[in-house]
Amino acid sequence: MEISSIAVDESVSTVFPPEQLRDALTDIVDVAIIDASADSLEPYDAVVTMAYHESYLEGVDWIHSIQAGVDRFPFNELREQGVILTNSSGIHGPAVGETVAGYMLSFARRLLPAVKSQTQWEWSPPAWDDAYTLADERCCIVGLGTLGRGIVDRATALGLDVVGVRRSGDPLDGVRTVYTPDDLHTAIRDSKFVVLAVPLVDETRHLMSTEEFATMRDDTILINVARGPVVDQAALVDAIEVGELGGAALDVFEAEPLPEESPLWEFEEVLITPHCAGFTKDYYQNVANLVRENLAHIDAGEELVNRIV
């Protein structure tokens, strides 16, 4: 395979200006910005994108996703057409880890109600027993890949008692106990924070639903930085309404943008962010570094980094 020209799809503008990525790559390869929903891919060997378009099946040899999640891409069809798919796994750990730390601090130090009070010009200190510190609180991180490890590092730095869930059950530095998915309920049962950092696959769709919420403590804070459908959103609303959970911090949703009519907007103890946990001013450069690395691997006839298909 030879890559002499790369298209940057306009869909990356959700995260950063496509011009930034183009300019970071032009010294090693021909790069153009396109709208893959309208423009022909015939002149290009590869595309860097956030969205998926059917034209990718016929137009390019290599697709690079700027996200780690690739559930939108049709793996079987890509294999049949001989199209390579790589993702950006590994670049989001620090940003997402800091975002999760921010979520946990917001709940522990009662920053969310403070901000809401500020918008109403209200002086409303929390109740004497409402705020707490994170040290020694139990945090269960479901998914200990590169994303999860970024969260582990920040959680342990804040003094949390970290347990985790991963398919292999293999131990990980900073995680006191690692459970397998078969022991998910044991892992989440006594956790103040349950953080979701798993990919969306058949096994993780609605991983958190009615039974799981009933298993958690009634003051547990659910944090989702994985994919929206990992959580049964209707069951989550029900659990918060009846007091089965203490709250939630949600960066991803089953439908995005989150519809205006969603009850989640109204809950006092729900923190909503618009799928931006991994955002950083260096995002485009991190993606460019991965593309550069894989271009070098292609030239050397070596296996591509983060190859999915």
Side-chain angles (χ1 to χ4, degrees):
M1 180 174 62
E2 181 178 345
I3 303 296
S4 59
S5 59
I6 293 179
V8 175
D9 183 50
E10 287 278 3
S11 60
V12 305
S13 62
T14 302
V15 184
F16 52 75
E19 293 81 6
Q20 294 290 113
L21 181 58
R22 178 197 62 195
D23 295 347
L25 293 172
T26 50
D27 63 316
I28 58 168
V29 67
D30 290 335
V31 187
I33 299 168
I34 65 158
D35 177 358
S37 65
D39 298 333
S40 170
L41 283 168
E42 186 176 353
Y44 309 104
D45 304 307
V47 61
V48 181
T49 185
M50 183 168 176
Y52 171 71
H53 297 279
E54 290 289 339
S55 58
Y56 294 167
L57 288 174
E58 303 291 341
V60 296
D61 297 319
W62 171 32
I63 303 167
H64 180 77
S65 167
I66 67 167
Q67 293 183 299
V70 287
D71 46 276
R72 64 175 61 85
F73 294 92
F75 295 175
N76 290 337
E77 288 90 337
L78 292 173
R79 289 190 186 96
E80 290 171 3
Q81 295 296 323
V83 178
I84 291 171
L85 172 65
T86 57
N87 72 354
S88 296
S89 178
I91 72 171
H92 305 95
V96 172
E98 291 185 11
T99 299
V100 171
Y103 291 152
M104 294 190 289
L105 286 165
S106 293
F107 281 96
R109 306 309 309 143
R110 309 308 296 145
L111 302 182
L112 181 58
V115 170
K116 290 180 178 178
S117 294
Q118 180 181 348
T119 64
Q120 302 299 316
W121 291 42
E122 294 177 352
W123 185 270
S124 302
W128 71 271
D129 58 350
D130 203 13
Y132 53 95
T133 60
L134 292 178
D136 299 324
E137 293 286 355
R138 182 168 173 177
C139 174
C140 177
I141 301 171
V142 184
L144 294 174
T146 54
L147 204 64
R149 290 195 292 273
I151 300 167
V152 168
D153 291 345
R154 277 75 186 173
T156 55
L158 289 167
L160 285 116
D161 172 29
V162 180
V163 300
V165 179
R166 71 192 310 189
R167 279 182 296 181
S168 68
D170 293 339
L172 182 69
D173 287 346
V175 183
R176 176 171 57 80
T177 305
V178 176
Y179 299 89
T180 64
D182 290 341
D183 291 322
L184 174 65
H185 285 198
T186 302
I188 65 178
R189 182 170 290 118
D190 295 319
S191 296
K192 175 66 176 180
F193 298 96
V194 173
V195 186
L196 306 178
V198 293
L200 178 61
V201 294
D202 289 343
E203 294 78 12
T204 60
R205 187 174 295 274
H206 285 190
L207 181 68
M208 293 290 150
S209 192
T210 303
E211 188 176 349
E212 286 68 39
F213 299 141
T215 300
M216 296 178 194
R217 294 162 37 175
D218 61 10
D219 66 343
T220 294
I221 305 299
L222 178 74
I223 298 175
N224 189 8
V225 289
R227 279 288 186 265
V230 171
V231 173
D232 181 342
Q233 202 161 288
L236 174 62
V237 169
D238 290 343
I240 295 173
E241 283 182 335
V242 302
E244 279 189 337
L245 291 179
L250 307 169
D251 189 55
V252 289
F253 305 88
E254 289 188 309
E256 295 182 4
L258 182 65
E260 291 183 5
E261 64 272 16
S262 172
L264 291 170
W265 291 110
E266 303 297 327
F267 291 123
E268 186 72 21
E269 294 298 322
V270 172
L271 197 168
I272 291 171
T273 54
H275 204 152
C276 61
F279 279 28
T280 166
K281 65 181 180 62
D282 296 321
Y283 201 130
Y284 80 92
Q285 189 60 61
N286 294 335
V287 172
N289 290 342
L290 275 176
V291 172
R292 284 175 172 274
E293 185 176 5
N294 272 332
L295 286 171
H297 280 239
I298 289 169
D299 288 344
E302 298 171 349
E303 182 64 26
L304 272 66
V305 175
N306 289 352
R307 181 167 180 171
I308 306 297
V309 175

